[in-house]
Amino acid sequence: MRRFLSAFGWRHEGAANAALLGLPALWFAGLYLAAIGALFVTSFWTVDSLSGNLIPGFSFTNFQQLLADPVYTRIGLRTIGIATAVTLTDITLAWPVAYAMIRLAGPRLRAALMAMVMVPLWSSYLARVYAWRLILAHDGLLNWGLKAIGLPGLHIGYSNWAMWIVFSYLWLPFMILPVAAAVERIPPSLLEASADLGAHGLATFRRVMLPMALPGMVAGAIFTFSLTLGDYVTPMLVGGEGSDFIGNVVYSNVGVTNNIPFAAAYAALPLGVMAVFLLIARRLGAFDAL
Amino acid sequence: MQDVVRKTIGRLALGLSVSLPFAQGAAAMEPLQAIGKGEGVLNVVAWEGYAQDDWVKPFEAATGCQVHAKYAGSSDEMVALMRSGGGDQYDVVSASGDATLRLIYGHNVQPINIALIPAWKNFIPQLQSPDFNTVGGVHYGVSYEWGPNTLLYSTKVFASAPTSWSVIYDPKYKGKITVPDNPIQIADAALYLSKTDPSLGITDPYELNQTQMDAVVKLLKAQSGLIKKYWALASDEIQLFTSGDAVVGAAWPYQTNTLQAAKVAVADTIPQEGATGWADTWMISAKAPHPNCAYEWINWVTTPKVQAEQAIYFGETPANTLACKEMDAQQPGSCAQYHANAPASYFDSIKFWKTPLPDCGNGKHDCLDYSAWQREWQNIKG
């Protein structure tokens, strides 16, 4: 039987591929695409305000409301803006770590650095966010430390600054790993050639390493950008006034207001943003670097 | 084969014709006639502090109903939870007056046979058949406890109790104010404006026309720049006051009790403009999977002993008049402290939460409904 199957698979390549991809494809189509389809359909429905029952149909009410009220534009821009800031911060922080890990460290130190990057991912996301809440609070570790060295305290607990710091911390490993992989792929001979031709370290970095590692950076950006874009827990825990994300509006419309169609309409926005982002990322070769 | 199909269709049609009338009108379902044997489980949606071990453990031991409590931070969340998954996930909910009518008209809760609740006859008269849980003479819930929303402040910052709600709109406390993340909070600002700006003509903080709402929103938008954080759960506000991130804010007596027990220097007060408040009702889901345990629960929590324990724990007032003696037995002076023996005028002075409706109650129908309140609130928070 086993022999027959392998012979069959060898002769009919298509059947073998179908057998291998069948289950994941079914999963993808049945759960993922169907869910997105349901989201789009629901976004045109409405809700009866007193009984809370869904009214199926086709109306643009939700989208009109989203466009008419400037608060939703503001929340959308805030979400995209912070996601962008987090991505740029993580690229800046990831470079020295990745470079040191690949070019400077010996094999043992490299393994140790790699482990240090990965270890936070093993602990609960919530525990880490709550830890930051304590660090940044009025009487938290940060202000205690500042006071100890004679500096005035910072009031960044429960603010957009806090969100920026916490997000940058949370997603940093997802940037370091692809950047490190990209740096590893640059042949050392190119760097030597650059030096031989008289380029400074900085010029080599800017004109040889940076362009060659670009796909890795974009690959990391897919993670940092999309993870920030879709989050709502961090804004809820460390955000202050005026810190709502798209996800918070979706959450409160589903879990609190019970206006699922409106939530579906707003959730279509990050979907569109990510589609554009991924198209650009593919242009820049990010998918070859994953 | 055809016969089977026809029979099935016939049954479906019959099922529909029987169930359709039930889907309309408020009074449709027959209430329970007698409390039977408990089902062993009870799923509860409650405010934080409403399902404490002090009275849940003895209840479980006495009835064999294991309590699974889910805490909600706002009335909106309670309504959403009771409607989630087709409405058969939870048995009972401690709904406040701004959620009860939504649950009744949404057919999410069932009529109550008040004859099966012996403590009911000892309730204060205002809470026996209040219009927020009794519609057309049919009871859809049993009143529980009530109280005012208070002004919580740090005694390190305020030497004496603030006399006006103006402190939570005062730029002097910029970045140190916290208020609930809840659209009904609009009513607090409306109550304040009804006293400080009589020209707006606000008579009921839950009945606002567009002009009045615009004035309230203007005040709240100015406030939002002064807010440290809009709190979603009572525990959030407790942490804000513990760490010193907030020094003044709108709260429930529960936060004051918890903070004072933890030796945080805070106190609360009801300023001269008065206060909004809540009157809670235990309601049973229309599709409650454990109705007998649900009735057992309501009977348990309306006994004078549990009414007193709840009142002292949360800092609120019990519906059952017999609880006063029990309160003083548990903690001397607590009956008077939590107003369990206060005259009817005290009850009438609190503007209890209710669902904003287009009907202004004065013949006009240009008031904003609750979905408008929700939109305005998102706008205020930004």
Side-chain angles (χ1 to χ4, degrees), chain A residues 265-289:
Chain A
Y266 206 23
L269 173 67
L271 223 58
V273 171
M274 269 327 282
V276 172
F277 188 89
L278 289 177
L279 279 176
I280 298 172
R282 198 181 64 170
R283 267 283 174 81
L284 296 173
F287 294 108
D288 306 322

Side-chain angles (χ1 to χ4, degrees), chain A residues 96-186:
Chain A
V97 182
Y99 186 83
M101 213 153 72
I102 303 300
R103 294 277 170 231
L104 304 178
R108 288 180 67 172
L109 182 60
R110 182 193 291 192
L113 282 173
M114 195 67 112
M116 277 161 66
V117 171
M118 302 286 280
V119 155
L121 297 179
W122 293 0
S123 69
S124 160
Y125 160 95
L126 269 182
R128 285 179 286 150
V129 178
Y130 269 113
W132 273 104
R133 185 154 133 162
L134 294 179
I135 292 169
L136 300 175
H138 180 72
D139 60 352
L141 194 66
L142 175 74
N143 280 343
W144 177 80
L146 287 173
K147 223 179 190 172
I149 55 172
L151 289 171
L154 282 172
H155 297 288
I156 56 170
Y158 307 104
S159 67
N160 290 346
W161 293 107
M163 288 204 292
W164 170 64
I165 293 171
V166 174
F167 274 130
S168 298
Y169 159 79
L170 284 173
W171 312 138
L172 185 59
F174 296 99
M175 180 62 84
I176 292 179
L177 296 178
V179 170
V183 171
E184 197 168 23
R185 259 184 252 173
I186 302 171

Side-chain angles (χ1 to χ4, degrees), chain A residues 51 133 236 239 241 256-257, chain B residues 76 83 224 229 239 245 374:
Chain A
S51 71
R133 185 154 133 162
M236 212 175 336
E241 59 86 26
V256 178
T257 318
Chain B
D76 294 355
R83 286 172 179 170
S224 93
K229 184 171 181 61
Q239 200 182 10
D245 276 301
Q374 286 170 325

Side-chain angles (χ1 to χ4, degrees), chain A residues 190-204:
Chain A
L190 288 185
L191 305 184
E192 285 156 19
S194 171
D196 288 348
L197 292 170
H200 303 290
L202 205 64
T204 306

Side-chain angles (χ1 to χ4, degrees), chain B residues 6 70 72 186-187 214 223 237 250 294 307 311 343:
Chain B
R6 204 175 299 143
K70 162 91 183 157
I186 290 172
D214 289 345
Q223 185 198 34
E237 183 170 40
Q307 285 264 294

